[in-house]
């Protein structure tokens, strides 16, 4: 059948998962095309992980300058100036560079790049503009898009997409939400000198993370000047011409220069025509697939944010690898969603892998908890009141380490190494017998001896 069609595979969406699927499939000899309407690299490269972390680095420079005096460096008062447009311009240049790299990677792999908005006219045909392209297989990898709740004045509210291109920083900002994006942007804004308020409807943000991590992060963010308000939500936003009046559900008001919503994302599948072809969409708006990424239509698969799995770039990359192997390799391979490590690039960072303490207990494990809180060595001279938290959740009966959690500098870097250990099934005894690297914060993970619970 493929010899009678334009391609063996057409992928709609050139984000992390789509690009990986395209490259791996082309390397296996498939004729592959990718359709993209916006930018190569998807959310992660353009309005997500990469530019976000560059902003986090930028926001942290201010603290480094403040810490300099303890190490003998003199930073003359009044001579340090931050220029937001310079950071944005340099970030844009880096994103342009990465876009070029993605384009060359696809071209060098022999993938055809089709620019435009796609829709499916039948189970083997994709229309882009006036042209139609046919393929044996079609994969939907269009990602997700920010959602703003339907409140009066929602047109005044920005999302993370717009935050990456702000022409100038406000003096005050309100961030609405309690997940990764909200917490990270609150830290970025505060670090750049913006008076920042974070609003979240729940009792405590970062739902799904270990409770100790959530509470400790709130404590550290408050130290850094972020006004955390839990149990409240926005009911309306009104623009008075120069500022925004934010009405909360408790009747209070906040006057601010910017309102950003990080209140969730939805699968970006509008206009594709999936349901008309028989592809099932869940109540949450995700494309329904089986464990092999297969939809109800035999020729159509889907991966990444659109299928409702964890919205993390490495997850989409892994899915792309598995699906390529199933379509054009030996037909084998399963995606393993267990023990996924992740980081939140707030300040200080969060790194976590494996089960939280609550999840371990709910799963029926008898657990021992090891916990250490301390002042990072750097701040013994800087004088900064910032602390670090590390935690291990261990199955008491098997001695297997079920979860590792951290709040502190370079938490993501440290947790990546721990993820390998947990994936390999490491025990607490093996952690204990591992020599530490001294002096580092990371060594605390192999020197915690006495359980606290």
């Amino acid at each position: 059948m493929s010899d009678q069609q334009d391609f063996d595979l057409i992928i709609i969406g050139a984000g992390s998962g789509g690009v990986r699927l395209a490259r791996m499939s082309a390397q296996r000899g498939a004729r592959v095309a990718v359709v993209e309407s916006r930018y190569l690299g998807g959310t992660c490269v353009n309005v997500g992980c990469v530019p976000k972390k560059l902003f986090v680095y930028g926001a942290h420079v201010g603290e480094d300058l403040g810490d300099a005096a303890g190490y003998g460096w003199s930073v003359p008062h009044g001579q340090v100036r931050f220029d937001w447009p310079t950071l944005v311009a340099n970030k844009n240049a880096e994103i342009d560079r990465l876009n070029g790299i993605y384009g060359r990677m696809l071209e060098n792999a022999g993938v055809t790049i089709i620019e435009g908005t796609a829709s499916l006219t039948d189970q083997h045909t994709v229309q882009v503009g006036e042209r139609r392209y046919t393929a044996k297989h079609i994969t939907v990898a269009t990602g997700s898009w920010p959602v703003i709740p339907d409140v009066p004045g929602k047109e005044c509210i920005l999302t993370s997409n717009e935050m990456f291109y702000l022409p100038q920083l406000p003096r005050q900002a309100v961030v609405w939400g309690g997940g990764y994006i909200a917490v990270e942007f609150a830290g970025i804004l505060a670090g750049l000198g913006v008076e920042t308020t974070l609003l979240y409807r729940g009792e405590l943000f970062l739902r799904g993370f270990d409770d100790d991590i959530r509470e400790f992060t709130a404590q550290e963010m408050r130290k850094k000047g972020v006004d955390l308000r839990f149990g409240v939500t926005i009911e309306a936003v009104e623009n008075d011409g120069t500022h925004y009046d934010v009405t909360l559900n408790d009747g209070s008001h906040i006057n601010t220069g910017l309102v950003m919503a990080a209140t969730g994302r939805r699968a970006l599948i509008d206009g594709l025509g999936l349901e008309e072809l028989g592809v099932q969409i869940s109540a949450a708006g995700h494309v329904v697939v089986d464990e092999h990424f297969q939809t109800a239509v035999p020729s159509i698969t889907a991966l990444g944010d659109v299928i409702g799995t964890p919205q993390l770039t490495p997850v989409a990359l892994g899915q792309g690898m598995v699906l390529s192997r199933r379509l054009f390799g030996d037909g084998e391979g399963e995606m393993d969603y267990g023990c996924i490590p992740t980081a939140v690039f707030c300040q200080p960072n969060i790194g976590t892998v494996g089960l939280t303490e609550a999840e371990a207990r709910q799963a029926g494990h008898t657990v021992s908890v090891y916990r250490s809180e301390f002042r990072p060595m750097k701040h013994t001279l800087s004088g900064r009141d910032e602390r670090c938290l590390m935690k291990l959740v261990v199955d008491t009966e098997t001695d297997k380490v079920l979860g590792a959690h951290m709040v502190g500098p370079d938490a993501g870097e440290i947790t990546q190494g721990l993820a390998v250990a947990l994936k390999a099934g490491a025990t607490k005894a093996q952690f204990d017998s591992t020599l530490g690297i001294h002096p580092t914060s990371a060594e605390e993970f192999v020197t915690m001896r006495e359980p606290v619970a």
Side-chain angles (χ1 to χ4, degrees):
M1 179 183 293
S2 63
D3 292 338
Q4 302 171 354
Q5 297 176 336
D6 298 322
F7 299 99
D8 298 313
L9 171 66
I10 294 177
I11 303 162
I12 305 174
S16 299
V19 168
R20 180 61 60 88
L21 172 61
R23 290 178 58 215
M24 295 299 101
S25 299
Q27 289 173 7
R28 287 186 161 101
R31 296 171 300 142
V32 182
V34 171
V35 184
E36 178 53 59
S37 62
R38 289 186 178 86
Y39 28 55
L40 298 179
T43 295
C44 177
V45 170
N46 296 276
V47 288
C49 322
V50 174
K52 176 269 304 288
K53 195 167 184 185
L54 293 175
F55 280 4
V56 169
Y57 284 138
H60 202 268
V61 170
E63 287 195 350
D64 290 336
L65 292 171
D67 295 341
Y71 287 89
W73 290 89
S74 176
V75 182
H77 181 70
Q79 295 186 26
V80 176
R81 186 177 68 90
F82 170 68
D83 186 64
W84 168 255
T86 297
L87 175 58
V88 173
N90 290 341
K91 179 270 297 181
N92 290 345
E94 173 61 9
I95 300 310
D96 287 344
R97 185 184 73 85
L98 293 175
N99 288 154
I101 290 174
Y102 269 72
R104 289 190 293 275
M105 283 195 306
L106 289 170
E107 291 169 357
N108 291 340
V111 176
T112 300
I113 301 173
I114 302 171
E115 296 182 6
T117 300
S119 61
L120 281 71
T121 57
D122 63 45
Q123 61 182 348
H124 291 287
T125 305
V126 176
Q127 179 152 348
V128 184
E130 299 299 318
R131 292 204 58 182
R132 291 190 175 188
Y133 304 88
T134 58
K136 181 178 181 180
H137 302 284
I138 297 171
T139 298
V140 178
T142 45
S144 60
W145 203 250
V147 174
I148 301 176
D150 191 16
V151 298
K154 66 178 292 185
E155 67 278 1
C156 301
I157 301 175
L158 304 182
T159 70
S160 54
N161 288 351
E162 295 80 45
M163 292 295 292
F164 289 112
Y165 298 96
L166 279 181
Q168 61 185 18
L169 281 180
R171 294 187 63 180
Q172 305 92 17
V174 168
V175 179
W176 184 16
Y180 286 76
I181 298 171
V183 172
E184 289 170 339
F185 265 100
I188 289 168
L189 290 166
L192 296 176
V194 179
E195 296 176 21
T196 305
T197 301
L198 185 146
L199 309 173
Y200 179 55
R201 65 184 178 181
E203 294 182 1
L204 189 62
F205 57 18
L206 295 173
R207 183 167 53 89
F209 284 78
D210 188 89
D211 288 339
D212 282 345
I213 296 299
R214 299 167 72 197
E215 292 167 4
F216 190 85
T217 300
Q219 169 188 310
E220 292 300 307
M221 288 184 69
R222 285 189 168 113
K223 287 182 188 177
K224 295 178 184 295
V226 180
D227 180 9
L228 301 179
R229 302 192 192 182
F230 299 131
V232 293
T233 191
I234 293 178
E235 289 203 337
V237 178
E238 185 176 351
N239 184 0
D240 66 7
T242 57
H243 285 76
Y244 300 96
D245 180 63
V246 181
T247 303
L248 305 183
N249 63 331
D250 62 2
S252 64
H253 291 257
I254 301 175
N255 190 260
T256 187
L258 178 150
V259 183
M260 172 196 167
T263 45
R265 299 175 66 88
R266 64 178 179 85
L268 191 57
I269 56 176
D270 299 344
L272 287 177
L274 295 174
E275 288 186 277
E276 291 83 347
L277 296 179
V279 174
Q280 295 178 0
I281 307 299
S282 73
H286 298 122
V287 177
V288 177
V289 298
D290 65 14
E291 66 273 19
H292 301 144
F293 311 106
Q294 178 65 59
T295 72
V297 178
S299 61
I300 300 175
T301 54
L303 56 75
D305 288 3
V306 294
I307 65 172
T309 47
Q311 295 184 350
L312 299 168
T313 293
V315 170
L317 292 173
Q319 291 173 341
M321 297 282 284
V322 170
L323 182 54
S324 175
R325 181 179 173 186
R326 297 198 69 87
L327 291 178
F328 304 108
D330 59 12
E332 300 296 325
E334 302 286 341
M335 184 66 188
D336 182 2
Y337 295 101
C339 214
I340 298 173
T342 188
V344 183
F345 294 105
C346 48
Q347 300 177 53
N349 298 172
I350 297 171
T352 183
V353 60
L355 300 180
T356 68
E357 180 181 347
E359 287 172 340
R361 296 187 190 281
Q362 289 167 4
H365 296 278
T366 301
V367 301
S368 297
V369 175
Y370 297 79
R371 190 179 188 274
S372 180
E373 181 185 329
F374 57 93
R375 190 182 204 180
M377 185 177 180
K378 175 182 178 181
H379 297 312
T380 60
L381 293 189
S382 76
R384 184 172 299 280
D385 182 22
E386 179 179 299
R387 298 186 67 77
C388 179
L389 172 68
M390 294 181 175
K391 180 175 181 178
L392 290 175
V393 180
V394 179
D395 185 297
T396 306
E397 296 178 1
T398 65
D399 199 42
K400 183 177 180 180
V401 179
L402 302 174
H405 312 282
M406 175 180 176
V407 182
D410 299 317
E413 305 290 344
I414 293 170
T415 302
Q416 180 66 82
L418 295 176
V420 177
L422 266 67
K423 196 74 173 177
T427 64
K428 183 62 169 63
Q430 289 170 327
F431 270 61
D432 293 344
S433 66
T434 300
L435 296 180
I437 301 172
H438 184 73
T440 65
S441 293
E443 69 177 315
E444 197 73 14
F445 273 116
V446 297
T447 58
M448 289 188 281
R449 293 291 184 264
E450 297 298 325
V452 297

